[in-house]
Amino acid sequence: MNANQNWQPDMQKIGTIITLIEYIQSSDNKKQKEAFEKFHELKKMEEFSAYCAAIFSRKSLSIAIRRQSGLLLKEALRHNFRKQNSDADDNTISDSVLNVCKKCLIQCLCEEDENSKFIRDTSAIAITTIVTELHHIANTNMAFSRYSEFDEWPDLISTLLNLLKQHQNDKNPVVLQSILNLIHLLCYDCGKIMGECRDSASLIPALFAFATSSNTEMRDYCLKSLYFLFAWQPQSLLSQIDKYIQVLLHCMSDTNAKIIKCITDSLIFMMNEYWPRLTNNNNKEAMLRIFDFMLNGTMNEDPDVCCTAAEFWALYATDREKSNSCLIEYFPKLIPVLVKRCRFTEDLLSLIDFDNDDQSKADLSEDVAPVFYKSRAERNDMYNGHDSTENGNDGSPQQANRNGMNGPMYGGMMDEEESSWNIRKCCASQLEKLSFAGEETKRALLAIVLPIIKQALESEDFLDREAGLLVLGAITQKEYESIIPSLPDLIPFILKQCKRDKHILVQQIACWSLARFSNWYYTTQEGDQFYEQILYQFLDSMKSSSKRVQRAACGSIATFITSTKEKLMKKQQYVEALMNTFLQAFNNYHLKNFPQLIDVILVCTTAIANFTANQQQQQQNGQHGDNAPADNVLCDAKFQDALLPPIIQRWVAFDGDSNIFPLFEAITQWTLFVGHTQHFQTHYLEQIFLNTLKITVDLKNECRAYAEYIKTVHDDGVIDDEHSENDEDHDASNGYHENGYHQRNGNEPEKPDKEFWVCGLDLLAQLVERCNPAIRRLIWDDKSCHYQRLLEMLYCSICETHFNVRRNGLALLGDLISLHAVNMQAHIGKFLKIVIANLNAEWQTVCTNASWCIGQSLFVFGPNAQNNEINGIPENQDNVNHDDNVMAPHCDQILAHLVDILKSQAAPPYIVTNIAITMARLVQAFPDRIIKKWDQFAVEWITSLAMFQEDQDKIQSFQTLMFVVMKNPIAVVQSRNGCTVLFKSIASWQNPPKTLNDQFQKVLCGFKKAAPNWDHIMNNLDQNTRQTLRNRYNV
């Protein structure tokens, strides 16, 4: 089609498309299916977008028909742009078709009919789609943000500005609103270009003008546009910053919630850099005007406005560039408001499901939020010695809401009020942040807030007491020294609020407040006297009939046990009471609170295990007490028999239900603690292994069946190419939800949830690591053939597109190679090619796990593998047979992948250091083959090895490196900076062992004797490196 030719639609095709649209809107499934299949073919036509646009712009058609054609147009544009962006030969969109779409959309954007709002809004979205997609296509090889013009629609902004002029005097403002809506969408999606384009100098004044319009929608669109533009700091706006500030200050008197929020956002955004201009060089009157505006926003009943405005106070107070003196003077106005907003409102109370809070009411599965699996690494970060005041996870109201378990009051499966970020939590968090904004600020805060808290706690109204306890916990989060003198009297009062005769909201917040002072119970003699009383109160609250109190108690005892550390171990009855409470909770807790229960069990048992490990470490260091236990108390058979049977029973019952994930976590973690015991291996191992193997094998089979279905459907032309390219995109094959014209096939299998596979692999790896020798016999028993099912499933897992399945599959494979080498020798050859293919730095932990598998394979299967006991192979088994040298055919391929990663500029340090260790294993296995080529990667390898922590792997790797250097020193000498990098890596060692140190001495002396420019080499080193080499090696 000629680009200059005027396109004319075929009326027969228009009629066909209109009929198909009517089919979409029909209740007849056959017609809907027919329409879907035909639209799938039609959208491959070059002109389909133009036909949709033509129908969309016909005012004579019903709004319903035009509405559906607009949705089809958006989908067709996205489809064609996506194809064009992927360099496909077909399905691109020509200039002539595109021009038809542009013309029709501009026409629809300006429709004046009141009933055409959807048409105008759809036009704005479609125009934005064209602009953003075309710009990406035109600049596929360059960053989107580098461009300052809409090259594919150069007159768009000038057209919109002209339309604003044409319609500025319209009595009905709908067209102006529509145009400004489009500008606001463009500023959101393409803010940099909008601020730098040739028409920006005219655009900014136009936005200023309409920002003060009497029409609320127009003001809102303009202020949002300016806000989005300001984020890019365009010169067109910065050159008029004073005018922008005037507009914002003028609009501060607005009463509309949307406008107030936008002004608040803008002022907060600007306050860091432009506070002097906003306040006329810190003029007190100007500052107080902004404070009054923010205070009114904090008192606003609109939750979004209130939360946004409330955030201002802490941002201001914690900014070191600003003086808090004016803010402190304002505290008598501000603090009572923040405290008042911490009180439950009727709206918040209405969100609480008091009727179903009683334990006697079962939870409906549809009321339970989705549960997600946490891997071993994620759990280690959460539980292993990370108490709630460390690592930035302070258990504060705002963190509690966002970080789950560490925020006992707000974590887990909660009511809508608990799970949402609301006004009272926001204001409590602001009081908390103000409390550590400096000593002067905190003193001023406490002087005002403590009397308010005291009055609230003495109130007969339970809502006042609840708010007082919330505020007390908030302001004492990081430092509670100021109220330490009051704690001996305050703690008994709070304990009374936990009793079951109090309102459940008071019990809940009282548990949370008591947990805030956990460090005081641990570190002071006065606090220690309350330990037992608080422990038993928390355990009693866990047995409450209120689900909310149960959740609060679970979170509070987790914080309490983690913070008070070994105090739990002082008395046997403490641990027994804890375990008995857990056991009772297993029988009583319903779906919502069950993940919370599992979390607190994991936190507490981890604390017990960590304490035992620390005691054993002290014993080894000669710093232990006389009664240091030999093993953690969880290994006691009675504790295993108390907790494991109910956990396993629920685990088996939840097969196929996402509520199984917390149980997987619990069993995996407990295997770490007790998997080595004979009792666990005798009574529980086989059931756990077989059920886990069944789950993973079933998932593997379901994924295979689903993939075959998708392939069949794709071959039949039912879904698009892009929907089959990525594992995560298969959901799209269930239909174009936006258009609503694809109905799910009744024979379509449900998409497998691969998280079950992820957690199953995680647990299998833990069993292999911790349950020897029983797990080895269980897997490799020839009669059972479990190993055949396991290895087939494992191979499929490392071929998976799902990132976490592949990662965990490689972790399990590495464990089997390391710990079951004799058994794996006959099978490793099947895995090596796909493992090597996973050596890709972009795949992060998949890459490091693949690297580890390769390194372990080289160690146990390489030609120079040790002939003694290998990493868990008992002496009474035959040694690994290396005659076949299974690694040799893969040597060059491994080397190529490792070198690519070592040379990659984008690979993160933790990956290249891991790869460097694997390279050392490769050199150890095939020294003659690798040394010949090591000039290709010498400098990168040495640099990466130097970054690794000093452990046995690094020692062995550097011994290999020194061997290579002595065999082929030319590679170092001839490499740019080769000698400098080598010498710096040697000097970087803090405590090299004697054998390695002797090698360093020999290499350095060899270079000094052979190098004619030794002094020049030494002068290129930094002073610290030179000094270290001279002092340690006398060179």
Side-chain angles (χ1 to χ4, degrees):
M1 182 185 296
N2 191 311
N4 297 319
Q5 175 181 335
N6 290 327
W7 181 83
Q8 294 296 326
D10 182 326
M11 297 309 297
Q12 185 175 354
K13 289 182 179 179
I14 283 194
T16 300
I17 294 173
I18 291 174
T19 300
L20 292 175
I21 290 175
E22 291 171 344
Y23 280 7
I24 290 175
Q25 297 169 343
S26 166
S27 58
D28 188 327
N29 288 340
K30 289 183 178 179
K31 288 185 176 181
Q32 289 184 354
K33 182 179 179 181
E34 179 185 349
F36 164 69
E37 291 173 350
K38 289 191 177 180
F39 274 130
H40 180 77
E41 293 300 320
L42 283 171
K43 73 175 184 179
K44 295 180 180 179
M45 293 169 40
E46 178 191 2
E47 298 178 334
F48 181 65
S49 297
Y51 277 102
C52 290
I55 296 171
F56 183 58
S57 63
R58 293 203 168 199
K59 296 181 182 180
S60 59
L61 295 173
S62 70
I63 291 292
I65 296 292
R66 296 179 66 194
R67 174 190 181 113
Q68 194 67 53
S69 67
L71 295 174
L72 287 169
L73 172 59
K74 284 193 297 180
E75 180 63 33
L77 288 170
R78 288 194 183 103
H79 173 83
N80 283 287
F81 288 140
R82 202 175 293 141
K83 288 294 183 183
Q84 192 167 337
N85 205 16
S86 63
D87 297 325
D89 292 333
D90 58 351
N91 296 322
T92 56
I93 187 166
S94 67
D95 288 342
S96 57
V97 169
L98 192 56
N99 288 335
V100 171
C101 295
K102 291 177 181 179
K103 181 179 178 181
C104 291
L105 289 171
I106 291 292
Q107 176 184 330
C108 292
L109 183 74
C110 298
E111 281 197 20
E112 297 180 357
D113 191 333
E114 285 279 1
N115 297 322
S116 298
K117 185 178 189 309
F118 182 86
I119 302 299
R120 292 189 294 270
D121 290 348
T122 302
S123 300
I125 295 171
I127 290 170
T128 307
T129 299
I130 291 175
V131 167
T132 53
E133 296 290 347
L134 273 180
H135 198 271
H136 277 297
I137 293 167
N139 306 296
T140 51
N141 297 322
M142 307 186 77
F144 182 65
S145 63
R146 291 181 58 184
Y147 290 85
S148 57
E149 293 293 342
F150 293 124
D151 294 332
E152 304 301 315
W153 198 338
D155 63 341
L156 174 61
I157 305 305
S158 61
T159 300
L160 296 178
L161 291 173
N162 287 332
L163 288 171
L164 285 175
K165 290 181 181 178
Q166 290 175 27
H167 292 275
Q168 62 183 345
N169 296 319
D170 288 0
K171 292 183 179 180
N172 190 337
V174 292
V175 175
L176 286 173
Q177 291 174 4
S178 177
I179 298 166
L180 291 172
N181 176 36
L182 172 56
I183 291 174
H184 130 266
L185 292 177
L186 292 171
C187 288
Y188 179 81
D189 283 336
C190 316
K192 186 176 188 298
I193 300 175
M194 291 291 286
E196 296 180 0
C197 67
R198 64 179 66 91
D199 294 305
S200 61
S202 302
L203 173 64
I204 302 300
L207 292 174
F208 287 159
F210 285 105
T212 56
S213 163
S214 59
N215 183 277
T216 302
E217 292 294 322
M218 290 163 58
R219 294 200 306 277
D220 184 44
Y221 289 140
C222 290
L223 289 170
K224 284 179 179 176
S225 298
L226 291 165
Y227 175 75
F228 297 142
L229 289 175
F230 184 77
W232 291 98
Q233 301 280 288
Q235 191 57 40
S236 59
L237 181 55
L238 296 183
S239 63
Q240 304 180 69
I241 193 67
D242 290 331
K243 176 63 176 175
Y244 182 29
I245 289 172
Q246 289 176 14
V247 169
L248 292 177
L249 297 178
H250 172 79
C251 293
M252 278 170 43
S253 58
D254 208 303
T255 58
N256 181 271
K258 291 192 297 183
I259 305 296
I260 295 172
K261 184 180 183 305
C262 187
I263 296 296
T264 305
D265 283 329
S266 302
L267 291 174
I268 290 174
F269 199 3
M270 296 179 71
M271 63 186 285
N272 284 340
E273 191 171 351
Y274 293 99
W275 184 253
R277 293 198 185 190
L278 285 167
T279 58
N280 193 19
N281 289 320
N282 293 312
N283 176 272
K284 186 174 182 179
E285 184 178 345
M287 291 174 66
L288 290 176
R289 185 184 175 202
I290 293 179
F291 285 176
D292 286 341
F293 173 77
M294 293 297 177
L295 185 65
N296 288 330
T298 306
M299 293 188 291
N300 197 293
E301 291 306 312
D302 184 284
D304 289 337
V305 172
C306 176
C307 290
T308 303
E311 294 283 349
F312 166 82
W313 305 109
L315 290 172
Y316 180 93
T318 54
D319 186 345
R320 295 181 180 180
E321 299 297 319
K322 296 179 177 63
S323 169
N324 280 350
S325 57
C326 190
L327 178 63
I328 289 172
E329 290 181 24
Y330 201 75
F331 272 3
K333 281 187 174 182
L334 170 63
I335 302 305
V337 170
L338 290 176
V339 173
K340 182 180 179 181
R341 305 249 63 183
C342 291
R343 194 179 189 273
F344 270 107
T345 63
E346 291 300 322
D347 287 342
L348 287 177
L349 289 172
S350 69
L351 298 176
I352 300 175
D353 189 4
F354 287 112
D355 292 338
N356 291 313
D357 183 68
D358 192 271
Q359 179 179 283
S360 62
K361 304 289 182 66
D363 297 324
L364 300 177
S365 58
E366 57 265 29
D367 295 332
V368 178
V371 182
F372 301 99
Y373 179 69
K374 292 187 289 289
S375 69
R376 286 187 290 167
E378 291 169 323
R379 288 195 304 276
N380 287 339
D381 287 342
M382 287 182 65
Y383 303 139
N384 284 339
H386 294 182
D387 62 54
S388 61
T389 59
E390 295 175 353
N391 303 301
N393 199 359
D394 55 23
S396 60
Q398 74 277 16
Q399 290 216 12
N401 182 55
R402 293 163 185 169
N403 293 329
M405 182 67 204
N406 289 320
M409 190 178 164
Y410 308 121
M413 300 295 175
M414 302 169 287
D415 289 340
E416 184 179 351
E417 178 276 323
E418 290 176 284
S419 60
S420 62
W421 187 241
N422 56 44
I423 292 173
R424 85 187 214 99
K425 294 178 194 174
C426 178
C427 290
S429 76
Q430 298 311 301
L431 288 166
E432 176 190 316
K433 292 174 183 177
L434 288 172
S435 72
F436 48 83
E439 285 301 317
E440 183 183 2
T441 304
K442 181 172 183 177
R443 283 196 302 270
L445 168 68
L446 293 177
I448 297 173
V449 80
L450 287 178
I452 299 176
I453 293 174
K454 184 175 183 298
Q455 183 180 0
L457 295 181
E458 293 172 351
S459 172
E460 293 296 321
D461 190 334
F462 76 90
L463 291 177
D464 288 337
R465 295 200 306 278
E466 195 279 341
L469 289 169
L470 173 62
V471 174
L472 175 67
I475 65 169
T476 56
Q477 167 52 31
K478 287 203 172 180
E479 296 177 12
Y480 48 80
E481 287 81 359
S482 54
I483 66 164
I484 282 178
S486 305
L487 284 180
D489 296 325
L490 192 58
I491 297 301
F493 172 82
I494 301 177
L495 278 165
K496 289 181 182 178
Q497 306 305 309
C498 294
K499 300 303 179 182
R500 299 192 184 187
D501 61 335
K502 306 299 181 185
H503 193 281
I504 60 172
L505 294 179
V506 175
Q507 292 181 54
Q508 180 186 25
I509 195 67
C511 285
W512 176 76
S513 296
L514 284 175
R516 302 288 263 189
F517 307 110
S518 294
N519 193 53
W520 183 68
Y521 313 134
Y522 177 67
T523 57
T524 68
Q525 187 173 356
E526 279 187 307
D528 181 64
Q529 65 180 316
F530 293 105
Y531 177 85
E532 183 171 308
Q533 197 177 355
I534 290 171
L535 173 64
Y536 285 125
Q537 179 58 62
F538 284 157
L539 295 179
D540 184 65
S541 295
M542 281 189 66
K543 302 171 190 174
S544 169
S545 61
S546 164
K547 298 173 187 177
R548 289 177 70 96
V549 177
Q550 290 173 359
R551 289 194 290 273
C554 283
S556 298
I557 201 169
T559 300
F560 181 72
I561 295 298
T562 305
S563 299
T564 55
K565 302 181 175 80
E566 71 275 4
K567 282 187 180 291
L568 180 69
M569 309 298 293
K570 284 174 58 177
K571 295 182 181 180
Q572 178 76 7
Q573 59 260 41
Y574 290 168
V575 179
E576 291 178 353
L578 191 69
M579 296 300 170
N580 288 333
T581 302
F582 291 161
L583 193 59
Q584 184 175 334
F586 259 110
N587 296 323
N588 296 332
Y589 280 28
H590 296 301
L591 286 177
K592 274 190 175 183
N593 287 357
F594 199 73
Q596 194 84 342
L597 174 62
I598 294 298
D599 268 353
V600 73
I601 290 174
L602 291 178
V603 169
C604 294
T605 52
T606 300
I608 293 170
N610 286 346
F611 167 71
T612 306
N614 292 337
Q615 289 287 83
Q616 290 174 332
Q617 185 64 47
Q618 291 175 7
Q619 185 176 9
Q620 294 171 4
N621 296 337
Q623 302 171 354
H624 61 286
D626 295 335
N627 298 319
D631 210 341
N632 71 70
V633 297
L634 304 175
C635 295
D636 191 323
K638 70 178 181 181
F639 287 127
Q640 292 187 44
D641 293 340
L643 281 182
L644 281 173
I647 288 178
I648 293 173
Q649 183 180 1
R650 278 217 187 192
W651 179 57
V652 173
F654 276 157
D655 187 12
D657 188 325
S658 64
N659 289 291
I660 201 175
F661 293 148
L663 294 161
F664 258 114
E665 294 172 26
I667 295 172
T668 304
Q669 193 79 346
W670 266 59
T671 301
L672 172 65
F673 300 147
V674 304
H676 62 287
T677 64
Q678 184 176 356
H679 187 78
F680 179 87
Q681 294 184 20
T682 302
H683 292 84
Y684 302 109
L685 174 60
E686 183 171 3
Q687 182 183 8
I688 292 172
F689 169 73
L690 292 178
N691 196 52
T692 309
L693 182 61
K694 176 184 179 298
I695 290 171
T696 53
V697 170
D698 287 350
L699 249 295
K700 179 262 297 181
N701 293 335
E702 289 173 18
C703 290
R704 178 178 294 173
Y706 187 79
E708 290 174 355
Y709 169 81
I710 291 295
K711 184 178 185 304
T712 302
V713 173
H714 175 266
D715 291 343
D716 290 343
V718 177
I719 63 174
D720 297 333
D721 293 338
E722 64 266 26
H723 291 153
S724 62
E725 290 170 357
N726 189 301
D727 174 69
E728 303 302 330
D729 284 340
H730 287 323
D731 283 332
S733 67
N734 291 337
Y736 297 99
H737 305 296
E738 187 176 36
N739 295 337
Y741 60 83
H742 171 51
Q743 296 296 313
R744 183 186 175 111
N745 188 331
N747 297 321
E748 179 178 339
E750 186 176 349
K751 183 180 180 182
D753 185 350
K754 295 182 183 179
E755 283 300 303
F756 289 94
W757 203 349
V758 172
C759 56
L761 290 165
D762 214 6
L763 178 50
L764 287 171
Q766 192 76 281
L767 294 173
V768 170
E769 291 172 21
R770 296 293 293 170
C771 299
N772 287 305
I775 189 66
R776 186 183 295 112
R777 292 193 297 268
L778 194 56
I779 292 175
W780 301 102
D781 180 9
D782 289 335
K783 295 180 181 178
S784 68
C785 297
H786 295 321
Y787 73 90
Q788 295 178 354
R789 299 170 65 217
L790 175 66
L791 294 181
E792 181 189 356
M793 178 277 296
L794 184 56
Y795 182 85
C796 292
S797 74
I798 66 174
C799 297
E800 253 296 328
T801 57
H802 192 286
F803 181 91
N804 290 342
V805 172
R806 207 155 80 247
R807 178 198 66 197
N808 286 12
L810 289 163
L812 174 57
L813 177 62
D815 283 332
L816 290 170
I817 293 168
S818 304
L819 300 169
H820 299 178
V822 167
N823 310 95
M824 282 296 295
Q825 185 182 8
H827 308 282
I828 189 61
K830 304 171 188 175
F831 289 88
L832 285 174
K833 284 187 177 181
I834 190 65
V835 173
I836 295 168
N838 277 293
L839 289 172
N840 184 328
E842 293 182 359
W843 294 338
Q844 302 176 2
T845 50
V846 167
C847 179
T848 56
N849 284 0
S851 173
W852 178 58
C853 288
I854 296 294
Q856 291 301 98
S857 298
L858 289 164
F859 182 68
V860 297
F861 303 129
N864 298 320
Q866 301 169 1
N867 289 323
N868 53 11
E869 185 176 348
I870 301 176
N871 286 348
I873 301 177
E875 292 179 353
N876 62 355
Q877 290 199 28
D878 294 334
N879 288 325
V880 179
N881 182 358
H882 304 295
D883 294 341
D884 293 339
N885 192 12
V886 69
M887 302 302 297
H890 305 281
C891 174
D892 292 340
Q893 191 180 9
I894 294 171
L895 177 64
H897 280 77
L898 297 183
V899 170
D900 284 346
I901 296 173
L902 287 175
K903 288 180 171 291
S904 170
Q905 298 295 318
Y910 79 91
I911 290 181
V912 294
T913 52
N914 190 292
I915 292 294
I917 299 296
T918 302
M919 180 66 82
R921 294 276 178 92
L922 185 64
V923 175
Q924 290 167 10
F926 303 101
D928 294 336
R929 294 173 65 173
I930 305 302
I931 289 174
K932 295 176 183 177
K933 302 178 180 180
W934 97 291
D935 59 310
Q936 302 174 15
F937 59 91
V939 171
E940 291 82 6
W941 183 33
I942 297 169
T943 302
S944 301
L945 274 182
M947 294 189 293
F948 204 78
Q949 71 267 19
E950 292 185 15
D951 60 9
Q952 193 58 38
D953 281 333
K954 184 169 183 175
I955 292 170
Q956 293 175 354
S957 298
F958 260 84
Q959 288 173 339
T960 302
L961 173 61
M962 293 304 105
F963 167 78
V964 175
V965 169
M966 288 186 282
K967 282 279 188 180
N968 186 6
I970 299 300
V972 175
V973 174
Q974 293 183 346
S975 297
R976 184 180 181 185
N977 298 325
C979 291
T980 300
V981 170
L982 176 63
F983 295 168
K984 288 182 72 172
S985 71
I986 292 174
S988 69
W989 276 81
Q990 300 298 314
N991 298 295
K994 185 179 185 308
T995 53
L996 181 59
N997 210 46
D998 291 343
Q999 283 183 287
F1000 288 160
Q1001 180 81 55
K1002 187 175 181 180
V1003 167
L1004 289 168
C1005 289
F1007 270 94
K1008 183 176 181 179
K1009 290 178 182 178
N1013 57 341
W1014 177 257
D1015 290 338
H1016 176 71
I1017 293 173
M1018 293 298 287
N1019 288 333
N1020 283 337
L1021 301 173
D1022 61 86
Q1023 185 176 350
N1024 290 338
T1025 301
R1026 289 199 303 270
Q1027 193 66 39
T1028 300
L1029 295 179
R1030 288 191 182 114
N1031 293 343
R1032 193 184 293 171
Y1033 305 107
N1034 195 28
V1035 294

